Amino acid sequence: MSLPDVLITILKVLVIVLAAPLLALVLVYVERKTLGRIQRRMGPWHVGPMGLLQTLADAVKLLTKEVLTPERAEPWAYWIAPIVVFVPGIFVLVVIPFTPELVVSRLDLSLLYVFALPAVSVVGFIMAGWGSGSKYALLGGIRLVAQAVSYEIPLLFSVLGVAILAGSLSLIDIVNAQGDTVWYGVVQPVAFVIFIMAGLAEHSRTPFDMAVGESEVMGGPTIEYSGIRWAMFMLAEYVNIFILASLGTIIFLGGWHGPVLPGWVWYLLKTTPILLFVFWLRGTLPRLRVDQLMGFCWKVLIPLSLLNVVVAATFKVYGWGPTVPMVIASLLAAYWFYRREWLRVVAVPARDPVPVPVPAPAAAE
Amino acid sequence: MAQEVAGSRPAPTKESIANWARATLEPLGGTVVVDRQFVEVELTAEKLRAAAHEISKSDDPEFSLLYDISGLHWPDDGELEAVYHFFGGWHAEGITLRVRVPDDRPLIPTISEDWPTANWHEREAMDLFLFEFEGHPYPEPLLLEKDMQGALLKHYPQREAPDMVERFKQRGDVPFEIWKAVRPEIENG
Amino acid sequence: MALTVDPDQPLFMPGDEEPLIKDQPIGPIGMDGEMGGLFQSLPANILTLKVDQLFALSRKNSLWPMTFGIACCAIEMIGTYMANYDLDRMGILPFPSPRQADVILVAGTVNRKMARVVKLLWEQMPMPKWSIAMGSCAECGGPFYSYKNVIEGVDKIIPVDIYVPGCPPRPEALIDGFVRLQAKIMADAKAGVWRKK
Amino acid sequence: MAEATSGRSDQNAEFMEINMGPQHPSTHGVCRLELAVDGEVVLSCRPEIGYLHRGVEKIAENLTVIQLPVITDRADYLSALNTELGVVLAAEQLYEVAVPERGEYIRVIMAELNRIANHMMFYGALGTDAGFSSPFIFGWWNREIIHDVFEEVTGARMLHNYIALGGVKQDVPPNFKDSVKKILPRLADGLDRCHGLLTDNEIFVARTKGLNPLTPEEALRLGITGPSLRATGLARDLRRLAPYSIYDRFEFEVPVGTVGDVHDRYMMRLLEMRESLRIIEQALEGMPDGEYRGEIPRRLRYPVGEAYSRTESPRGELGIYIVGNGQNTAHRVKIRAPAFVHVSAMEELLKGTYIADAVLIFASMDIVLGEADR
């Protein structure tokens, strides 16, 4: 690598490092607005024109908060946890190809790279949970680790199918492979749904936010953080959601391919619906219990994603012929699994109601 | 127990409960009074546990709800009175037990074996009326701390209305300039 | 009958040196200076006041109260967060943990058992922090003033910035309280309250 | 239940002591649950109240019968009018005061509106504990509709001091009938929206169906009354069993559950709201004109004697016990709070559940700490 190339790459990485917080600010604003719209109220309105400066005001306020360390906390774990959680998000942004030329580094193993790094941020959450010394943080941290680790498996399997189809592990090749033929989201509908669900559970978003739900564990591992460190946890969460949405478009919806508009416009047109879907879920779905969460992953998502890999393999080898019945079979299997395994409602024997004698008019004095 | 009873038998009336009370509670030394709103039985403290057991065990006028234990303080004749209201689960009739105890030795046996809800009612009566329920499984204070108990007794001190003039003097001459600094901010928005 | 009632002696929390219940001076005077402004030690000059006003502008537009309702005023507080009187449009978002909160909104009666919890929450909040006493119970004990177990006013425990009168105060009154608090934050920044004199 | 309160039941189990402390978003006020937790399962729970004990009964002993509803409103601040109705019924029993027809009808309409407002608050709290904040806002739209009517009639949104000895304090505004007629369809529509959001929401059903089922005997043994008792299958409703005021003139069903689990308790309250709408419609037609308040004795001294009134408050059965002894202030006012008994039942109900379920069970009992601590 000659000197100017190194400088250019460093410049590009700097742009990404600065863009991540701004991106998160925009997403926080969009989420509060959509939540407001769902609940028939206005989101942030008074700060700046139409409330646009609201998240900027939040960020500056968080920057100037007092920096405190709880006395029961282990200082090292408490201090380093936000960094370990936030940084992998930026590393992954470096590799995502928004358009063929708008990408920082053309890594040929980028699919593997993209799914390896979020596992590091799980360690950060353990450090936060254990380091801040409060019982709720510990409980939230352990729940989050169990959830993130177990949902990593269906996430990877769902993407494995696409890797087989595209025949390569580089995101750019996957998008190019989708250029002329049909999008992988159509060939692998179940894989796309599993990818989104596992992605949500990976970053503990509703309806899988057992670990950070505020009605039981009051914010989970981030309970003892204040000011800029808590802001880093929030930014990491929103950067991860953006990564989930952009990976969804790249892998399943054929990144920048589209008839007439330029590449990056198509990219945005496909990412925003997924983002709005994630925010829409936050306003309409309650939270799962921990054991239902785990049962859903191990008993429903993993078998389905394995089935999906088989479908991808048959499409690769035999083309469209036998794949159509396979896709239909996988959809039926998904529905059957969904009905039988996932929604095991505890059947309690119903009893007939106990009639209470309506007192005769004479008795009602 | 309440299930098969409800459908078949008519609801007990006040007279049937009074007869039942005379039959079972009179031998325990209780005097039954009927002209009140509910049938009332005055008892001595020693017989209370047996009477409560009778009421919880009885099946014909079925009683399964202990509504509350209300304490009363009669300072002039120096007595504390505990009023127990029992009511039926599937019918509307009820029975009341009254126990009077001298207020310097307010000893009443607990009835929390037969009536689990009595556990907290007795703890509350302990807090507010300084009753002593011997045999209570967990006699810790419920509402008030140890040094503040006996709140509903008549001679419990109360805070008089504040003398506002003296309170402003007590606050001293607090500079109000800070607040003036806020005033223009609000006036011109 | 042993009536050991001496409710007026100051209430000590386990392990603290000065009694919990004593008159707290009102407003920012009570807070010992470091309110999270940058370079506290610099005196109030043209540059530092401008920086403070920028921070005050961002702080007043994103006041995060703590979800901590005690009694009937808590229901009106919840009513103010809801759709009809939406506080989210002013950037006021309730947070469960004291660490992320800027404002402690004491909504309801504080009795002696609750006083320790309120004091603990107030100390757990990072600076700069403000407090609103909502409702007449939090201001002066309200209709329960004559009962010795009730503390006559939260300003006996924590320094209070804004008093919102009413029992319970209407949501509009609470919004007016927040607006006054925002005005107070800007006024403090202009007056250089956070600067060393 | 008795042995659990004497501290930890099993010493050897390695467990973590968690305080779902007074400041916790899902304890609906200030109640502390000391949970001994083994991993996710709650081994034993010891509820701790007293954080909101404000001496309502002590202050009630300094007030005359006219001022009494002011302080008892603040005991159960979510259903103030139902508590006022209970207090005033006991006072009228003591003073032997007759209530004119119009006063009775106005009381029933206001009490039923207050029941709907309280159940909407329950709906919001249970939805938020299930995981998301939209039910709170869905419930509060309807509460605000009712608050507008309350303001027109009584002048206050929440704590009214409106139902008084002998009827109501002042007559309803002239356009009362059509203003209430106008909000009934809006409330019915709001109720359908609430049904749509949570009732057949699969995750909500999966979390609440079969959670903590109770039989009528267990519920009665724990002292549980009101919608939670009807959820277990016992159709015990004081408005039907021992009709007070003029409830025997309206025909409405008493919704009854089958299993007594959290989902049934939730459904009871939603079905009860529909019944309350029916009662209000019938009361609106039947409301005559004329006197809204009977004549009250000139000297308001408490007659010597006592009176006990039982009313069906939205939370459970509310008992008001007033003892008078000739002075102008009451000798003793005892409020039998259903919330107090339901908190004491928590010790038994929360054993062996997950922490996430413990929060839901606590919310399903609709506990208001102002009433529990008095």
Side-chain angles (χ1 to χ4, degrees), chain C residues 70-77 107-109 134-137 142-144 165-171, chain D residues 52 54 56 67-85 110 114 117-118 140 143 146-163 169-170 315 368 370-371:
Chain C
I70 302 177
C72 358
C73 294
I75 308 296
E76 282 298 37
M77 178 180 80
T109 322
M134 175 181 178
S136 52
C137 289
F144 306 100
C167 181
R170 292 180 55 82
Chain D
L52 189 54
R54 329 185 254 192
V56 168
Q67 300 160 330
L68 200 53
V70 171
I71 208 69
T72 47
D73 274 358
R74 275 137 186 98
D76 179 355
Y77 39 79
L78 268 179
S79 56
L81 279 165
N82 289 324
T83 319
E84 275 175 35
L85 185 57
M110 299 303 278
N114 196 247
N118 173 56
W140 265 82
R143 257 183 87 92
I146 297 176
H147 279 171
D148 300 342
V149 170
F150 280 163
E151 268 184 85
E152 275 171 40
V153 175
T154 67
R157 282 163 56 93
M158 249 173 58
L159 307 173
H160 316 280
N161 185 14
Y162 176 63
I163 298 179
K169 270 241 164 63
Q170 75 238 4
R315 236 167 294 292
V368 166
E371 188 188 38

Side-chain angles (χ1 to χ4, degrees), chain A residues 137-210:
Chain A
L138 185 64
L139 200 59
I142 291 169
R143 277 188 189 172
L144 194 125
V145 162
Q147 176 181 329
V149 165
S150 61
Y151 274 92
E152 193 88 17
I153 301 163
L155 196 67
L156 291 178
F157 276 132
S158 68
V159 172
L160 187 59
V162 171
I164 294 172
L165 288 180
S168 112
L169 280 178
S170 150
L171 290 174
I172 297 160
D173 298 350
I174 290 177
V175 174
N176 294 341
Q178 290 176 40
D180 38 19
T181 66
V182 73
W183 288 345
Y184 289 141
V186 174
V187 176
Q188 307 249 322
V190 176
F192 184 40
V193 169
I194 292 173
F195 176 80
I196 294 292
M197 270 197 264
L200 285 180
E202 179 84 23
H203 309 304
S204 66
R205 285 288 302 183
T206 310
F208 304 97
D209 56 357
M210 267 319 291

Side-chain angles (χ1 to χ4, degrees), chain D residues 231-265:
Chain D
T232 60
L234 186 62
R236 178 188 165 90
D237 184 339
L238 282 181
R239 293 175 295 176
R240 177 56 52 79
L241 201 60
Y244 50 91
S245 167
I246 50 169
Y247 272 105
D248 43 13
R249 295 189 197 154
F250 307 111
E251 40 94 13
F252 59 96
E253 292 105 20
V254 175
V256 173
T258 51
V259 169
D261 55 7
V262 173
H263 193 72
D264 272 357
R265 295 175 207 154

Side-chain angles (χ1 to χ4, degrees), chain C residues 111-181:
Chain C
N111 63 11
R112 298 173 70 86
K113 208 172 177 180
M114 199 61 193
R116 297 186 185 95
V117 177
V118 171
K119 180 77 174 174
L120 186 65
L121 285 175
W122 172 255
E123 268 144 20
Q124 278 181 344
M125 287 165 66
M127 293 295 242
K129 53 189 176 185
W130 294 272
S131 73
I132 294 182
M134 175 181 178
S136 52
C137 289
E139 284 161 0
C140 65
F144 306 100
Y145 181 83
S146 67
Y147 192 59
K148 289 274 184 180
N149 190 19
V150 167
I151 288 177
E152 67 272 19
V154 178
D155 46 23
K156 285 251 181 298
I157 310 166
I158 54 175
V160 172
D161 285 301
I162 297 287
Y163 296 89
V164 179
C167 181
R170 292 180 55 82
E172 291 89 350
L174 184 59
I175 292 175
D176 175 56
F178 273 112
V179 166
R180 282 180 190 275
L181 180 63

